[in-house]
């Protein structure tokens, strides 16, 4: 795991955000986590608009954890935008949502999501999930050459 | 008066001097009285001066009682008929004749006549077609009016009946129209109801969607923070505080199960259920794999018996159904009893019945239909935890696949839950 990794968490629920960040911390994933609260902010961040132009402070993430139900622009819209317009084919986008709806899952893969995870409820499950996630995408997975 | 076509001008009843020697004057009276049509002769003051036998018959009167009397004294309006206007109309017609010296043919009149006391008295309904004709003397003075009537009562009655037929036909037609309008209205209502149903369905869909997202979020927080509290501050929590934490977690877990089952139930109700030929034996195997941990935990003996004929069904739905049935068979067993579960199939006509037989607590006869309803539970949560939705999912799933579900007493105790699907051809 190199120091270059960073994670963008797109999550509007402060509860979920706190629990996910805690899980990342507990799983000892050394990638810094940036968080935005809605779909539009996510696009601004990825595009480097406004304050996000400062890549020293807001590095382009290696991994984006993307909720679906979000204010302003839904996670699926952000996903479509990232793949089609922002030209970010290599960004690892993992949907992390509470929706188990077939149409959401289908749409997410059709739009180019790398993975689709349902937020677990069981105690400790979020931690296990985040740990596996970090290990897989940030450690085991061989990223495409830059 | 028309003098066209070279015809002789018609002259109405001018009384000529009796000049024909072969017919004595008295004979004219006899001839008049015997004429086959009803005639009444009036003086200009409307006194009855002569009457034909036919008229007497038609009006049920007698000559000696009416001749010499005033017309309207003899023939008054029927006092029982508030709409009677015979007297007024006849008077108007006669005045017309008197004033203008021309005949007047009246429209058909309802002019009831008095029934003689011997025939029961009162009035009798009659319709007449009267013509009043002036009779002049040689100087041209109007000396009489001949009032000729035709009794058209029978005709009017027929016409009225015909009218009733017509009325009936018209009513029928109106009714037909109404029914057509009704059918049209109903069709519109059906279309409207169908639209509302679709709307309600779409609403339900977004409702379920919202539930799947929003109802879960606070649950995650409850579970997550309780877990974090327990994990991060275990040393600072008293045993009592830790017990509360566990109870919060258990309650949140139960809520989560409820949400999950409700979602599964609603998804089953609205989602597509495509049917194709499948091997239910493979679905049974998959079910047992999925429940392997529970089976181990209960140290249950599960046996798959015999052959499983191919059925028409939807694999994920059947899997869901069988999972609930086997999970129930594992759950509803007395604590000190090792669960024995047998799963088999049999053909029944064109259908295949899959059954799950247990050695559990059984379902009393009176509850065997009710337990398939949503939220129907026979036991408190402490004894047999559950959401009360499992069997509702079973029933709905079977319905969606064109099948059915039920329960009967098992051989030698316990229950035998069954589901039936059409056999694949």
């Amino acid at each position: 795991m190199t120091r270059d990794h960073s994670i963008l968490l797109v999550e509007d629920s402060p509860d979920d955000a706190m629990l996910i960040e805690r899980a990342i911390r507990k799983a000892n994933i050394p990638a810094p986590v940036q968080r935005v609260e809605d779909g539009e902010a996510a696009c601004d961040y990825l595009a480097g608009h406004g304050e996000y132009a400062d890549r020293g402070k807001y590095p382009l993430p290696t991994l984006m954890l993307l909720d679906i139900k979000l204010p302003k622009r839904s996670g699926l819209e952000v996903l479509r935008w990232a793949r089609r317009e922002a030209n970010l084919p290599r960004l690892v986008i993992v949907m992390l949502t509470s929706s188990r709806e077939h149409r959401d899952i289908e749409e997410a893969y059709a739009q180019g999501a790398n993975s689709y995870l349902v937020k677990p409820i069981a105690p400790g499950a979020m931690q296990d999930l985040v740990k596996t996630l970090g290990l897989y995408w940030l450690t085991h997975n061989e990223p495409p050459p830059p | 008066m028309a003098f066209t076509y070279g015809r002789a001008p018609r002259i109405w009843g001018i009384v000529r001097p009796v000049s024909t020697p072969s017919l004595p004057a008295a004979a004219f009276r006899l001839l008049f009285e015997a004429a086959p049509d009803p005639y009444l002769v009036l003086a200009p003051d409307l006194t009855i001066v002569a009457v034909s036998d036919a008229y007497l018959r038609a009006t049920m009167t007698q000559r000696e009682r009416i001749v010499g009397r005033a017309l309207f004294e003899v023939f008054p309006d029927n006092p029982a008929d508030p709409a009677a206007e015979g007297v007024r109309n006849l008077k108007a017609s006669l005045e017309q004749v008197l004033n203008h010296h021309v005949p007047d043919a009246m429209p058909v009149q309802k002019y009831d006549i008095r029934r003689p006391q011997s025939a029961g008295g009162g009035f009798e309904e009659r319709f007449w077609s009267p013509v009043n004709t002036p009779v002049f003397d040689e100087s041209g003075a109007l000396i009489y009016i001949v009032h000729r009537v035709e009794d058209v009562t029978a005709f009017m009655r027929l016409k009225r009946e015909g009218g009733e037929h017509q009325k009936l036909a018209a009513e029928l037609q109106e009714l037909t129209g109404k029914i057509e309008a009704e059918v049209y209205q109903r069709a519109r209502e059906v279309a409207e109801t169908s639209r509302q149903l679709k709307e309600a369905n779409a609403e339900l869909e977004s409702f379920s969607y919202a539930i799947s997202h929003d109802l879960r979020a606070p649950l995650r927080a409850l579970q997550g923070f309780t877990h974090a509290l327990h994990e991060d501050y275990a040393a600072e929590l008293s045993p009592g505080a830790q017990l509360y934490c566990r109870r919060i977690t258990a309650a949140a877990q139960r809520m989560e199960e409820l949400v999950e089952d409700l979602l599964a139930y609603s998804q089953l109700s609205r989602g597509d259920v495509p049917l194709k030929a499948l091997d239910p034996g493979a679905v049974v195997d998959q079910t047992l794999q999925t429940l392997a941990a529970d089976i181990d935990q209960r140290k249950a003996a599960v046996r798959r018996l015999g052959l499983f004929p191919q059925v028409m069904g939807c694999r994920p739905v059947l899997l869901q159904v069988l999972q609930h049935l086997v999970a129930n068979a594992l759950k509803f067993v007395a604590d000190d009893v090792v669960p024995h579960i047998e799963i088999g199939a049999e053909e029944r006509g064109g259908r295949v019945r899959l059954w799950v037989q247990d050695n559990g607590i059984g379902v009393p006869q009176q509850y065997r239909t009710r337990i398939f309803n949503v939220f129907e539970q026979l036991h408190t949560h402490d004894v047999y935890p559950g959401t009360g939705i499992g069997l509702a999912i079973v029933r709905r799933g079977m319905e969606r696949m064109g099948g059915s579900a039920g329960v009967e007493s098992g051989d030698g105790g316990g229950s035998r839950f069954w589901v039936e699907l059409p056999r694949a051809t």
Side-chain angles (χ1 to χ4, degrees), chain B residues 142 226 251:
Chain B
L142 190 154
T226 314

Side-chain angles (χ1 to χ4, degrees), chain A residues 13-16 18-19 22 25-26 67-69 76 97-104 118-127, chain B residues 205-206 208-210 212-214 216-225 227-229 231-232 249 252-253 256 260 263 267 270:
Chain A
S13 154
D15 286 340
D16 278 347
M18 199 182 277
L19 289 171
R22 176 177 179 271
R25 214 167 48 239
K26 289 262 170 186
D67 195 7
I68 285 186
K69 201 163 171 264
L76 292 171
T97 171
S98 48
S99 168
R100 218 179 289 249
E101 293 281 316
H102 296 308
R103 57 171 191 201
D104 282 343
V118 176
K119 290 174 187 166
I121 290 187
M126 181 68 89
Q127 226 159 293
Chain B
E205 200 163 326
S206 52
S208 305
Y209 189 78
S212 80
H213 280 88
D214 301 343
R216 275 185 174 142
L219 279 175
R220 267 197 313 277
L222 265 177
Q223 293 266 48
F225 287 112
H227 178 72
L229 186 67
E231 213 176 66
D232 296 356
T249 303
Q253 237 158 9
E256 161 71 359
E260 288 293 316
L263 268 178
Q267 248 167 8
R270 63 207 161 91

Side-chain angles (χ1 to χ4, degrees), chain B residues 77 285 309:
Chain B
D77 272 332
D285 290 342

